[in-house]
Amino acid sequence: MKNIVIAGICLCFSSAFAQKITDTLVSKKLNQEREITIGLPASYAQNPTKKYPLVVVLDGDYLFDAFQGVLNYGAYWDDFPETILVGITQNKNDERSYDCSADEMSGLPDSESKKFFEFIGLELMPALEKEFRIAPLKIIAGHDITAGFINFYLYKNQPLFDGYISLSPQLANGMTEQLPQRLTEIQKQLFYYQATADGDLKSIQQSTKLLDENIVALHSATLNYKYDEFKGLSHYSLVPQAIPSALYQFFALYQPISMNEFNDKIVVLPSGYVDYLTQKYELLEKTLHIEIPIRVNDFKAIEAAILKNKQYEEFGKLAEISDKYYPKSMLSDYHLGMMYENMGEFKKAAKAYQKAYQKQDIGNLTKDMMLDKSEELMKK
C-alpha cells in the first residue's frame, strides 16, 4: 500500500472531512494490483493512540460512498463509533464475478475465488492492521454475489470478521443449510444482517427467506441477527435502506440512553439505576470491544430516574462512578450534593456544592449554579 503513508500525512493539513484515500495493493495471491479506497475518521490524526472498528465493503465502487455517508451521520450524533472504512474495487474488469464465484457442486470457493478469499485474509487485512490503528471489531459487507461470498468467512473455525452485512445475497449451493449450523457452532459474539425486497430477484427472495427461517430455528445465544424484507424496493434500491438498518442494529449497544430506553427499561426499575448504567457500558466493552467513558447525558438520565423514584441514596454510588470518569469536574460533588439535599441534610449538601464550585464545569453544570445552590441551602 505504497501511497497510504503519504496520503495519511496530507490529511493533517486538509479539511477535517477530507478523509478519503484511494490506493493500490500489490497482491501475490491475485497476481495483480487491486484498487482500494480508505475512509479515515475525522478524529484519526488528532487521536494518535485511539483504535477504530473496521468496516470492509466489497463492491467498493458503489458501496463505499453509501456506507461512508451512513457511518459519518451515525458518528456525528454519537450513535455509532467512528470507524475506518475500506472499499475493495471489483467492477473495473468484471472482477467481482471471478472474485466471488463458487463451485456449483461443493458450494465452496472455486479456484479463482479462493485467491480473492486469501487476498482479503492474508494480504489486505494484515496490511491494514500494520498501517492503521484498528480495534478488534471488524465488519464486512457485500451486495448480490459479493454478499453471498462474505459468508465463506463463517465457514472457518475462527471467523475473520465479527459482523456480516449481506445485501440481497446470491447464496452458494448448500449455504441456506450450512450457514445456520455454522452460526450456532461459533462461540464468539457475531452480528449478522441480511436483506431482500418484494421487488428483488425471486431466487434471492426465496433463498434469503429460507436462510432466515433456518437461522431463527436454531436460536444461537451468541448471534445478534436481523432480517429485513423491504416493501416497494428493488434489488438495487434496497441498498440505501438496508445499510442504516444493519448498522443501527449492530451498534445499538453503543448508542446513548434514549427516551425509549429510559421509559421502558430504566425508570420502571424499583432500584439499581447505577448498576444499570455500569452494566450497559460493561456490555458494550464485552460485546463490541469498545471502551468509552460514560457519557454525561447518560449520567443525567440516571439522575432523573433516581429523582423520579426517590432512591436518593443511589446518588452516592453515582458520585463514585462520576469521580472515576470525570475526576477534575464538579460532577461527583454535584451528585453528593443532590443526595444530601434530597435527604434533608442541607449543610452537607451546601458543602458538597461549594466543593463542586472549585472544580471544572461539565455539561450544563456551572460554577454559578453550584454557588447559587450552596448559598440557598445555607439559609435553611
Side-chain angles (χ1 to χ4, degrees):
M1 292 156 68
K2 53 184 179 294
N3 299 323
I4 286 180
V5 175
I6 296 174
I9 293 172
C10 291
L11 289 175
C12 299
F13 301 98
S14 59
S15 164
F17 299 99
Q19 305 289 309
K20 187 174 178 180
I21 309 164
T22 300
D23 195 22
T24 55
L25 177 61
V26 178
S27 170
K28 292 182 180 180
K29 297 293 182 182
L30 299 173
N31 194 29
Q32 64 176 204
E33 289 187 347
R34 183 55 65 94
E35 182 180 279
I36 58 174
T37 305
I38 301 168
L40 295 178
S43 71
Y44 190 85
Q46 288 73 43
N47 291 279
T49 62
K50 183 177 179 180
K51 293 185 177 182
Y52 299 83
L54 174 69
V55 178
V56 175
V57 294
L58 310 189
D59 284 319
D61 322 62
Y62 63 91
L63 285 185
F64 182 91
D65 288 339
F67 268 87
Q68 189 173 51
V70 176
L71 287 167
N72 286 345
Y73 181 85
Y76 179 86
W77 294 109
D78 200 26
D79 284 337
F80 304 161
E82 289 186 298
T83 60
I84 295 173
L85 176 65
V86 175
I88 305 174
T89 299
Q90 293 185 270
N91 275 341
K92 284 198 168 182
N93 299 301
D94 195 29
E95 292 160 327
R96 71 197 301 266
S97 61
Y98 297 102
D99 289 342
C100 301
S101 55
D103 184 275
E104 291 186 7
M105 293 295 294
S106 68
L108 298 173
D110 61 18
S111 59
E112 290 299 319
S113 60
K114 184 178 179 181
K115 298 175 185 176
F116 185 64
F117 183 91
E118 293 179 343
F119 159 72
I120 293 176
L122 300 179
E123 294 180 327
L124 176 63
M125 293 299 289
L128 293 172
E129 291 181 324
K130 180 180 179 181
E131 195 66 54
F132 301 106
R133 302 188 303 275
I134 295 174
L137 180 65
K138 300 175 182 67
I139 297 168
I140 190 168
H143 177 227
D144 191 275
I145 190 173
T146 67
F149 174 84
I150 66 176
N151 293 314
F152 289 134
Y153 289 101
L154 288 164
Y155 286 9
K156 304 290 287 184
N157 289 331
Q158 296 295 328
L160 183 59
F161 298 95
D162 308 283
Y164 298 78
I165 299 176
S166 179
L167 308 174
S168 188
Q170 182 178 317
L171 300 175
N173 184 37
M175 196 167 275
T176 55
E177 294 78 29
Q178 295 167 5
L179 183 59
Q181 186 61 40
R182 286 297 303 136
L183 290 171
T184 61
E185 293 170 352
I186 297 168
Q187 296 301 309
K188 74 171 185 177
Q189 178 73 49
L190 287 175
F191 298 83
Y192 193 89
Y193 174 89
Q194 64 165 342
T196 186
D198 57 7
D200 204 347
L201 302 175
K202 294 300 180 184
S203 59
I204 290 178
Q205 291 183 57
Q206 293 169 1
S207 62
T208 54
K209 182 62 176 177
L210 178 58
L211 178 58
D212 171 64
E213 292 172 354
N214 290 341
I215 290 175
V216 171
L218 290 175
H219 305 291
S220 172
T222 57
L223 179 64
N224 182 315
Y225 171 68
K226 184 178 182 181
Y227 173 52
D228 275 332
E229 292 182 276
F230 294 103
K231 303 300 181 183
L233 298 179
S234 70
H235 182 69
Y236 297 101
S237 63
L238 69 83
V239 170
Q241 301 281 346
I243 292 172
S245 181
L247 291 172
Y248 272 94
Q249 172 77 5
F250 285 12
F251 291 125
L253 279 174
Y254 179 85
Q255 294 158 26
I257 294 173
S258 65
M259 186 59 70
N260 286 340
E261 184 178 4
F262 177 80
N263 289 328
D264 298 341
K265 296 182 178 181
I266 300 175
V267 78
V268 293
L269 295 172
S271 61
Y273 313 106
V274 181
D275 289 340
Y276 180 97
L277 180 65
T278 56
Q279 289 167 10
K280 175 183 174 73
Y281 280 80
E282 287 169 359
L283 187 60
L284 169 62
E285 183 178 356
K286 179 181 178 181
T287 305
L288 295 179
H289 311 292
I290 296 173
E291 185 176 1
I292 59 172
I294 295 176
R295 300 172 178 91
V296 174
N297 282 344
D298 285 352
F299 275 111
K300 291 182 67 64
I302 301 305
E303 292 170 22
I306 291 171
L307 290 171
K308 186 174 180 63
N309 290 285
K310 299 181 180 180
Q311 297 293 318
Y312 306 127
E313 67 281 357
E314 288 214 23
F315 273 120
K317 193 172 182 179
L318 193 62
E320 294 177 10
I321 305 299
S322 53
D323 183 59
K324 174 183 176 181
Y325 288 101
Y326 302 98
K328 295 182 179 180
S329 81
M330 60 178 63
L331 190 59
S332 177
D333 294 299
Y334 168 73
H335 288 150
L336 287 176
M338 290 288 285
M339 179 180 69
Y340 292 132
E341 180 181 358
N342 284 281
M343 296 178 74
E345 299 185 55
F346 300 128
K347 288 185 178 180
K348 287 184 178 181
K351 288 182 179 180
Y353 291 135
Q354 287 173 356
K355 189 175 179 181
Y357 171 81
Q358 301 171 35
K359 296 185 179 180
Q360 296 175 1
D361 294 2
I362 184 170
N364 64 348
L365 302 179
T366 66
K367 291 181 181 295
D368 287 344
M369 182 187 301
M370 296 303 108
L371 186 60
D372 289 344
K373 290 181 75 66
S374 175
E375 290 177 348
E376 181 181 346
L377 289 171
M378 290 296 289
K379 297 175 183 178
K380 293 188 176 182

